[in-house]
Amino acid sequence: MAPPFGFFKKKDRTEPDKDSPANPAMAGLKDQPEAGELAIQEAQTLLQDVEDAKVRVLCSRLAEIRSSASASFRNLARIAEEMEREKFKLENVEQRFGSTVENSKKTIVSTLRREASSELPNPQSINDAKKFRDRLEATMNRFGEVSGSHSKVLNYFMNKYAEKMREEFETLSGLLKDTRSVMAEFEQDRAPVVKCNNILNTVLQKASSAKSAEVSMQNLAERIQTTEKELEKTKMEHDSIRGSPDFAQAESSIAKLSGVEQRIQEFHTRVSDLFSHASRAFGKYSYGVTKETEKRLLVMTDEPWRILYEDDVSPYTALLAEIQKSISSGQIQLKDSERVLRHIGAILASVSDLQATAKALTEEHASLSSDSRSKDLVVQVKKMEDSLALYTEDLAQYRRELALQKKQAQERSEEIQSQLSEASQALSSIAGKRYSIRL
């Protein structure tokens, strides 16, 4: 705040004595009378009562300051009225300052009248008290600004009014200082109440969180119990089926079927290898042939074993013979034509045997595949084993989660007890009686 007219300097505000306890009860808790146990809500009600009493004292002290400040405002309003009516006489040499003096007067009068006519808040609560302090500070700042910018005119041409204003501003500055001091003292005295309330609110939040955690742990425990039952039930069913003669027979059938499928795959590979030696001849022969012949050449190149499962292989053997003839006559030029001719001859010579092998493998595979019960039984056991693995994994996860939540719940419980103890000591210091706060 700018010092009005430079009349006085802002003094350091008086701070409450930090060495003296805010409440005599803070010294010697052991000597306090036992007052019993309180629930958190009861403790908060007691704290509210204590705070309300402090607020009443604060408002009563500020009411006195407000009354004095209002009296100074009325005096400033009268000064403004007198100044407005005053016609300042200027000497010859001062005539040139006439407009400046008049403008300064109007500005000062307007500011004094506006600020002095506004009603100061009547403190009835903490917020009202803060509004009162802020309003008084803002008013003094505006007084300081206007009087500071016009101080030369005031001190030289309006000295009579400057003196009167100085007295009121000094009074208001002292009242503002008192207000700040009273507010600071109140905040210091109230701080233990606020701190205790904050601790209790934190405890309530943690207690609410603890209830949610308790529900979560109960759900996890039930999930573990359900999963354990499902695991045990599935394990018993699995062991029963797996140990039965039917499963042993089914497993043997499936193993045989797998063996046949392996032999079929090996047979296909052997046939593909046999035909691969003539693949270059197939490619050269493909130029200018019919679509049907082109399809057969593609089968003999990519999947020759398919030929052996057809009822009539003669179109393919005839095609092989034609290719063989074309190589022999020189129509198809190959670097290793003799070797290719030998391979084609070997293919033609082995077609009947290869067909017989394909038929035998097909019949054996069909016979073993027809046993759907064996396959279903093995699939059932496999699904059970997958379920057992999943149940086991879920159980481990649930137990880890439950252990972690129990640890967190224990830590939270210890924190709550510690904070309840701290709040009990704080409340005892505030109220002057020994209290024990519980959830």
Side-chain angles (χ1 to χ4, degrees):
M1 181 183 73
F5 315 141
F7 293 156
F8 47 84
K9 294 182 180 178
K10 182 178 176 182
K11 298 179 181 179
D12 295 335
R13 70 179 185 179
T14 303
E15 296 287 350
D17 186 0
K18 294 181 180 179
D19 294 330
S20 60
N23 191 309
M26 292 186 69
L29 287 178
K30 293 181 179 178
D31 298 331
Q32 294 172 347
E34 186 70 42
E37 190 177 66
L38 293 177
I40 290 181
Q41 290 77 7
E42 294 172 324
Q44 288 178 321
T45 299
L46 178 56
L47 286 169
Q48 188 60 54
D49 291 342
V50 171
E51 182 169 307
D52 289 345
K54 294 180 185 298
V55 171
R56 286 194 294 272
V57 172
L58 169 68
C59 292
S60 175
R61 295 177 68 181
L62 292 180
E64 297 176 6
I65 295 174
R66 178 177 179 271
S67 177
S68 299
S70 296
S72 283
F73 279 8
R74 289 193 294 272
N75 291 339
L76 287 169
R78 282 194 293 270
I79 292 171
E81 293 295 329
E82 292 174 6
M83 187 182 294
E84 186 177 36
R85 291 194 298 268
E86 179 81 20
K87 301 294 183 183
F88 295 102
K89 296 179 181 180
L90 304 176
E91 301 297 333
N92 292 334
V93 74
E94 298 170 341
Q95 292 295 327
R96 57 196 177 98
F97 297 113
S99 61
T100 301
V101 172
E102 188 62 26
N103 288 336
S104 293
K105 185 181 83 168
K106 287 180 180 179
T107 300
I108 294 169
V109 167
S110 174
T111 301
L112 289 178
R113 182 175 289 158
R114 181 180 65 252
E115 297 299 328
S117 64
S118 61
E119 188 75 13
L120 284 168
N122 184 23
Q124 298 293 325
S125 65
I126 296 175
N127 284 337
D128 290 342
K130 291 177 179 178
K131 289 178 183 178
F132 172 76
R133 178 196 61 199
D134 296 343
R135 175 74 178 81
L136 192 56
E137 284 181 344
T139 298
M140 292 305 298
N141 282 335
R142 284 189 282 271
F143 283 155
E145 290 167 4
V146 72
S147 60
S149 60
H150 299 278
S151 60
K152 289 184 180 179
V153 175
L154 271 167
N155 289 322
Y156 188 81
F157 296 102
M158 310 173 193
N159 187 52
K160 177 178 66 173
Y161 297 104
E163 183 64 29
K164 293 179 180 179
M165 290 166 63
R166 179 192 298 114
E167 293 176 2
E168 298 304 330
F169 286 156
E170 287 179 346
T171 298
L172 288 171
S173 291
L175 293 173
L176 177 57
K177 179 181 176 182
D178 292 343
T179 299
R180 288 169 172 162
S181 178
V182 167
M183 290 291 292
E185 184 180 341
F186 167 77
E187 292 295 347
Q188 182 177 352
D189 194 32
R190 176 183 175 238
V193 177
V194 174
K195 181 181 178 182
C196 188
N197 240 327
N198 289 340
I199 295 172
L200 293 179
N201 286 330
T202 301
V203 168
L204 287 174
Q205 290 172 1
K206 288 183 178 179
S208 176
S209 175
K211 288 182 180 178
S212 299
E214 187 66 33
V215 172
S216 176
M217 286 189 289
Q218 181 62 35
N219 290 337
L220 270 175
E222 291 174 0
R223 204 176 302 169
I224 288 171
Q225 188 176 20
T226 301
T227 306
E228 285 175 338
K229 288 180 179 178
E230 289 296 326
L231 177 63
E232 184 62 26
K233 177 184 175 184
T234 304
K235 190 174 185 305
M236 289 177 64
E237 291 177 359
H238 170 269
D239 292 348
S240 175
I241 294 173
R242 192 165 181 79
S244 68
D246 288 344
F247 180 78
Q249 183 179 349
E251 199 171 35
S252 175
S253 296
I254 293 300
K256 290 177 181 178
L257 179 61
S258 177
V260 171
E261 289 173 346
Q262 179 65 29
R263 282 161 37 215
I264 289 173
Q265 185 62 43
E266 291 171 354
F267 172 69
H268 290 174
T269 301
R270 182 157 55 90
V271 172
S272 295
D273 289 343
L274 183 62
F275 274 76
S276 67
H277 295 296
S279 60
R280 289 178 60 213
F282 299 157
K284 289 203 172 189
Y285 187 80
S286 65
Y287 298 117
V289 297
T290 64
K291 286 186 180 282
E292 191 64 31
T293 301
E294 186 179 3
K295 286 181 181 178
R296 291 190 181 111
L297 287 169
L298 187 62
V299 170
M300 290 194 299
T301 302
D302 293 341
E303 298 175 306
W305 46 266
R306 285 177 52 190
I307 300 169
L308 305 172
Y309 295 100
E310 294 192 11
D311 294 334
D312 184 11
V313 298
S314 59
Y316 291 97
T317 56
L319 180 57
L320 284 167
E322 282 293 324
I323 295 171
Q324 189 181 43
K325 182 179 177 182
S326 297
I327 296 171
S328 297
S329 65
Q331 290 180 354
I332 297 177
Q333 297 289 328
L334 296 171
K335 186 185 297 184
D336 51 351
S337 57
E338 291 298 326
R339 186 178 65 83
V340 174
L341 284 171
R342 284 197 304 273
H343 282 298
I344 293 175
I347 293 171
L348 288 169
S350 62
V351 165
S352 296
D353 291 340
L354 292 173
Q355 270 189 302
T357 301
K359 182 180 178 181
L361 287 171
T362 301
E363 290 175 352
E364 188 177 0
H365 186 273
S367 174
L368 291 170
S369 297
S370 65
D371 187 6
S372 59
R373 185 173 180 278
S374 294
K375 184 177 179 181
D376 292 344
L377 204 58
V378 171
V379 169
Q380 183 183 2
V381 169
K382 179 64 171 65
K383 286 182 178 179
M384 285 182 176
E385 289 171 350
D386 291 341
S387 295
L388 288 171
L390 185 60
Y391 287 143
T392 302
E393 183 181 345
D394 287 345
L395 266 178
Q397 178 64 25
Y398 297 153
R399 285 166 178 162
R400 283 195 297 269
E401 289 181 13
L402 184 58
L404 177 61
Q405 290 192 17
K406 284 182 176 179
K407 179 182 178 184
Q408 291 173 341
Q410 179 62 31
E411 291 172 351
R412 190 183 300 110
S413 175
E414 291 172 359
E415 289 172 1
I416 287 175
Q417 292 306 315
S418 174
Q419 289 177 323
L420 283 175
S421 176
E422 183 182 356
S424 298
Q425 292 179 19
L427 181 61
S428 300
S429 297
I430 292 165
K433 297 179 181 179
R434 273 188 293 160
Y435 285 102
S436 175
I437 304 176
R438 56 174 170 78
L439 276 173

